[in-house]
Amino acid sequence: MTDKELNQTVEARKITHREFQRVYPETINSISTEEANRKRVVARKDISLFQWTIREMKRYKIAYLMIAPFMFVFILFTLFPVLLSAILSLTSFNMLEMNWDMFIGLDNYTRLFFEDDIFLQACKNTLVFAAITGPVSYILSFVVAWFINELSPRIRAWVTLIFYAPSISGGAYTIWGYLFSDDSYGWVNGTLMDLGILDAPKLWFHDEKYAMTLCIVVALWMSLGTAFLSFIGGLQTIRKDIFEAAAVDGIKNRWQELWFITLPEMKNHLMFGAVMSITGAFGFGSVVTQLCGFPSVNYSCHTIMHCLEDYGSQRWEVGYASSIAVVLFLIMIGANMLVKKLLSKVGR
Amino acid sequence: MQKEQKIRIRKHQVVLNRSAGGDGAIAFFLIIMGVFMFIPLYYVVIQSLKPLDELWMFPPKFIVQHPTMQNFGDLFNLLSDSWVPFSRYIFNTVFITFAGTFGNLFFSSIAAYALAKIPFPGRKPIFTTIQSSLMFTSTVTSIANFITLSALGLLDNPFAIIIPAWGSSMGLYLMKQFMESSISDDVLQSARLDGCSELKTFWSIAMPLVKPGWLTLIIYSFQGLWNTGSSIYLYSEQYKTLNYAISQITAGGIVRAGASAAASVIMMIVPILVFVISQSNIIETMASSGMKD
């Protein structure tokens, strides 16, 4: 019996797979992969969803074994902490006193938002900092990746290295502290004084007026990281013939090409890059500490990360610190949702 | 009627929709940006090669007249005066980096394979959770993790850094996306039909196909762990890392400008070299890093 005849028979009699097997037992061994898949689909309808799930779980039990070690560590050190922070934030738990009679409801949050001036200042600083570095570094990553995409592979590799190096060069950012150091031996002060623009050295990182701006500059200097590489990789996967077709269809310049073709094609990478930029913009505390000191002059660069460090690992007021962590977490989720909404408008 | 397209020839290649003015503007922008990115790194290197009198010259110079390796010598002298032998810091950093990276590579790859290629129930919600956890910076989780680690008795133990690195969502995410796009299901299916177990299929069919993915994962994990500095999880001197030792020297302030620049050079040269070697593999992996909804 040929395949065609077989199909006709099945169509004609509308038999279920089980009947089919009973009627034609000899075809089972010669069954192809597609038919095996079809067989699964038919079988799926024979039993309830619950039974089906159980059966599939048994069938693929090796997969659960394979993800088990990773999931164990992942849940313990990434998911559980979020839950634990949320619970602890409702308590006055303190590592130094170890008091266990401590449920205080939302008191930590009212203290944060109505009594703690430094936290409010830190909130403002963090939002300003993130609102500038996040989008700017994101756009910069994309624009640079897009610009270098048309260079020849060899030159592109070098340019990529120059732009990416600051983000992986560990503690090299401390050099900014020397470039902008407080005395006349710092390069900026030295040069400006030599040219007669300044009379006396400026305190750059230790001056309220400049500290924040300089930190933002350093953050941007270090910000072409994972998102940047992701964009470079993504841009190379776009097929060239799409651009040719688009040119025929009336795309007139590179900006139209960017908006109507490149950006929509890159949507998935743009989303990933956005998540990376958000993480970067909110995880910048240690660099600020190194450059401006802790705490910075008049709390001009004090961010939520610093509050967290202050209460968490110096005063050990874990309950209060946890409420700060929860606030930071919620801000990041909010930023992520905002970005998702904005990205859904791309290419329309 | 459609307007005739402007077509330019750029090195034997027909280029659509590109104006010479635009190319020029882009080149200009890239050069300015490139200089901005490059100057601080250049200054670190220059600073590390300057002899003492040039470090304190007014006005400071952007070139070095008499390059010397003296700062590196000073750095090693300073480090050898520390409480525990300098080699101990190096050993700690190398141990943390290797143990963390290999664990991460193995556990992430095997989990990524299951998530990408085995249609078991529940894999979608699991992966979505991992994907959204890419946002959780270590700042958010550090306090709660301190409590967890102390409950597990892992405080002041290098494994307090190593074990959390095994569950890094970044590595798994990149690996899973890469496996999904670069291994065809047919290959795996035929291996399974030939009687390969899932584990064998993973190890001898899938893993050799995703070598660029391994490299990327190794480099990501490496960069993170290599730069492990002072951590609230490690407080005995004998477990401190190289980065911590070096930051102690930098904290010596302005008088140690030369030695601290030398330290920065040493700390940055390793990740940069690793990146140079593996760049094309990383970009290949990144090509599939897109986040589907």
Side-chain angles (χ1 to χ4, degrees):
Chain A
M1 194 179 261
T2 66
D3 274 1
K4 205 178 163 193
E5 283 172 295
L6 200 65
N7 278 337
Q8 280 169 349
T9 325
V10 175
E11 278 301 308
R13 293 178 58 189
K14 296 247 187 279
I15 54 172
T16 67
H17 198 86
R18 278 179 188 165
E19 272 177 290
F20 180 74
Q21 281 180 359
R22 206 183 39 185
V23 179
Y24 305 107
E26 76 281 3
T27 61
I28 288 176
N29 287 333
S30 64
I31 220 157
S32 70
T33 320
E34 285 101 54
E35 257 164 8
N37 282 338
R38 207 185 302 157
K39 173 183 149 206
R40 272 199 341 162
V41 176
V42 173
R44 159 76 189 82
K45 283 176 184 157
D46 292 346
I47 49 180
S48 76
L49 184 63
F50 178 73
Q51 281 174 311
W52 168 257
T53 311
I54 298 289
R55 223 187 73 170
E56 290 287 281
M57 283 170 96
K58 273 187 194 147
R59 178 167 167 203
Y60 295 118
K61 55 181 182 294
I62 184 79
Y64 295 96
L65 204 68
M66 287 167 96
I67 62 167
F70 177 87
M71 287 312 284
F72 178 73
V73 179
F74 172 74
I75 290 172
L76 190 61
F77 292 110
T78 308
L79 291 188
F80 177 65
V82 175
L83 189 73
L84 187 63
S85 298
I87 295 170
L88 285 174
S89 73
L90 303 175
T91 69
S92 59
F93 185 48
N94 186 323
M95 290 280 262
L96 298 179
E97 297 165 9
M98 283 306 229
N99 53 338
W100 292 100
D101 169 34
M102 55 195 181
F103 183 77
I104 53 166
L106 293 173
D107 281 9
N108 279 329
Y109 292 96
T110 47
R111 182 175 156 203
L112 269 184
F113 287 107
F114 298 106
E115 287 160 40
D116 195 336
D117 289 342
I118 292 173
F119 175 76
L120 290 180
Q121 168 79 10
C123 255
K124 199 191 107 211
N125 286 340
T126 312
L127 289 180
V128 169
F129 190 86
I132 297 176
T133 53
V136 173
S137 81
Y138 182 57
I139 292 169
L140 210 59
S141 298
F142 184 81
V143 166
V144 173
W146 184 53
F147 284 170
I148 68 175
N149 189 39
E150 289 172 22
L151 300 173
S152 73
R154 181 168 300 218
I155 300 175
R156 189 171 58 216
W158 282 106
V159 179
T160 307
L161 177 65
I162 290 179
F163 282 91
Y164 183 61
S167 71
I168 49 169
S169 52
Y173 61 81
T174 45
I175 198 66
W176 286 89
Y178 288 102
L179 283 170
F180 284 89
S181 76
D182 297 347
D183 48 43
S184 54
Y185 301 107
W187 180 68
V188 174
N189 274 333
T191 312
L192 290 180
M193 284 165 74
D194 196 40
L195 293 172
I197 298 172
L198 287 183
D199 299 334
K202 291 233 180 228
L203 295 178
W204 302 117
F205 279 111
H206 301 107
D207 185 326
E208 277 181 69
K209 266 187 284 177
Y210 307 109
M212 190 66 175
T213 320
L214 282 173
C215 284
I216 289 173
V217 171
V218 177
L220 290 178
W221 178 67
M222 297 178 67
S223 69
L224 295 187
T226 311
F228 176 58
L229 291 187
S230 167
F231 293 153
I232 294 178
L235 283 166
Q236 285 180 23
T237 59
I238 304 178
R239 296 200 334 272
K240 298 279 174 292
D241 50 347
I242 302 182
F243 295 110
E244 283 161 26
V248 173
D249 285 348
I251 296 271
K252 287 193 202 63
N253 55 44
R254 70 177 93 213
W255 306 105
Q256 286 187 351
E257 199 179 282
L258 174 69
W259 184 252
F260 291 110
I261 303 163
T262 313
L263 285 179
E265 283 284 315
M266 288 283 290
K267 214 161 200 179
N268 295 337
H269 290 84
L270 288 176
M271 191 62 227
F272 176 66
V275 172
M276 291 293 108
S277 295
I278 293 171
T279 319
F282 286 104
F284 206 67
S286 60
V287 174
V288 176
T289 307
Q290 275 277 344
L291 293 172
C292 303
F294 178 76
S296 45
V297 179
N298 223 347
Y299 296 105
S300 57
C301 295
H302 206 68
T303 63
I304 301 185
M305 290 73 86
H306 293 106
C307 287
L308 196 59
E309 199 185 317
D310 189 8
Y311 285 102
S313 50
Q314 294 191 0
R315 307 186 199 197
W316 296 110
E317 289 184 38
V318 174
Y320 193 57
S322 297
S323 64
I324 299 176
V326 170
V327 170
L328 180 60
F329 182 68
L330 291 179
I331 292 178
M332 285 174 74
I333 298 226
N336 192 41
M337 275 155 59
L338 186 73
V339 165
K340 249 185 199 165
K341 207 157 224 179
L342 288 177
L343 280 181
S344 65
K345 294 206 169 74
V346 161
R348 289 213 184 128
Chain B
M1 271 281 293
Q2 244 184 15
K3 265 190 199 167
E4 204 174 292
Q5 285 290 326
K6 272 185 205 160
I7 290 175
R8 257 177 1 105
I9 309 286
R10 196 198 271 165
K11 266 194 186 169
H12 317 298
Q13 214 187 332
V14 178
V15 187
L16 298 162
N17 287 325
R18 293 289 179 269
S19 64
D23 279 353
I26 285 172
F28 181 72
F29 172 83
L30 282 180
I31 289 169
I32 298 284
M33 279 294 298
V35 169
F36 168 70
M37 300 307 268
F38 186 68
I39 279 183
L41 291 181
Y42 169 79
Y43 202 69
V44 180
V45 178
I46 287 301
Q47 194 87 337
S48 73
L49 295 174
K50 280 181 180 171
L52 203 58
D53 54 332
E54 282 185 52
L55 278 172
W56 303 114
M57 198 184 259
F58 180 85
K61 289 243 160 46
F62 242 80
I63 43 162
V64 46
Q65 282 141 349
H66 309 285
T68 163
M69 293 303 273
Q70 202 197 336
N71 289 323
F72 290 88
D74 284 354
L75 175 67
F76 287 109
N77 284 337
L78 283 167
L79 285 172
S80 57
D81 287 346
S82 52
W83 292 348
V84 295
F86 179 48
S87 55
R88 180 80 208 192
Y89 296 119
I90 296 184
F91 172 80
N92 286 340
T93 293
V94 170
F95 178 69
I96 286 177
T97 307
F98 273 73
T101 301
F102 278 102
N104 183 11
L105 176 64
F106 184 73
F107 294 134
S108 295
S109 307
I110 197 164
Y113 173 80
L115 285 168
K117 292 296 176 189
I118 306 180
F120 63 92
R123 67 176 178 155
K124 285 228 173 79
I126 290 177
F127 184 66
T128 312
T129 314
I130 295 173
Q131 183 172 295
S132 24
S133 81
L134 285 172
M135 280 191 310
F136 304 1
T137 51
S138 55
T139 343
V140 173
T141 54
S142 67
I143 310 266
N145 273 346
F146 185 88
I147 296 172
T148 314
L149 287 166
S150 87
L152 292 173
L154 279 174
L155 276 185
D156 205 22
N157 183 327
F159 281 94
I161 310 281
I162 294 170
I163 293 178
W166 292 348
S168 120
S169 43
M170 184 72 182
L172 180 124
Y173 175 79
L174 290 177
M175 198 61 157
K176 191 250 175 190
Q177 299 297 73
F178 188 57
M179 281 181 166
E180 215 160 51
S181 71
S182 69
I183 304 176
S184 86
D185 285 326
D186 296 344
V187 177
L188 299 180
Q189 201 61 38
S190 57
R192 284 173 194 144
L193 285 179
D194 285 349
C196 256
S197 70
E198 257 341 310
L199 282 174
K200 185 119 196 291
T201 317
F202 158 71
W203 190 247
S204 45
I205 313 258
M207 279 305 261
L209 288 172
V210 290
K211 278 194 185 130
W214 303 4
L215 261 174
T216 310
L217 221 141
I218 290 175
I219 282 147
Y220 262 86
S221 177
F222 179 89
Q223 277 165 15
L225 292 166
W226 179 257
N227 289 323
T228 307
S230 62
S231 159
I232 52 170
Y233 307 146
L234 301 175
Y235 34 82
S236 315
E237 197 64 23
Q238 52 170 335
Y239 293 128
K240 300 259 161 138
T241 57
L242 186 60
N243 195 354
Y244 165 83
I246 283 175
S247 69
Q248 289 307 99
I249 289 181
T250 321
I254 206 85
V255 289
R256 300 229 175 114
S260 90
S264 292
V265 169
I266 292 176
M267 286 308 283
M268 77 186 208
I269 210 101
V270 178
I272 288 181
L273 276 183
V274 174
F275 178 72
V276 169
I277 298 165
S278 53
Q279 189 186 9
S280 59
N281 288 295
I282 297 182
I283 300 289
E284 199 184 330
T285 313
M286 285 297 176
S288 61
S289 66
M291 199 174 264
K292 280 147 215 144
D293 105 79

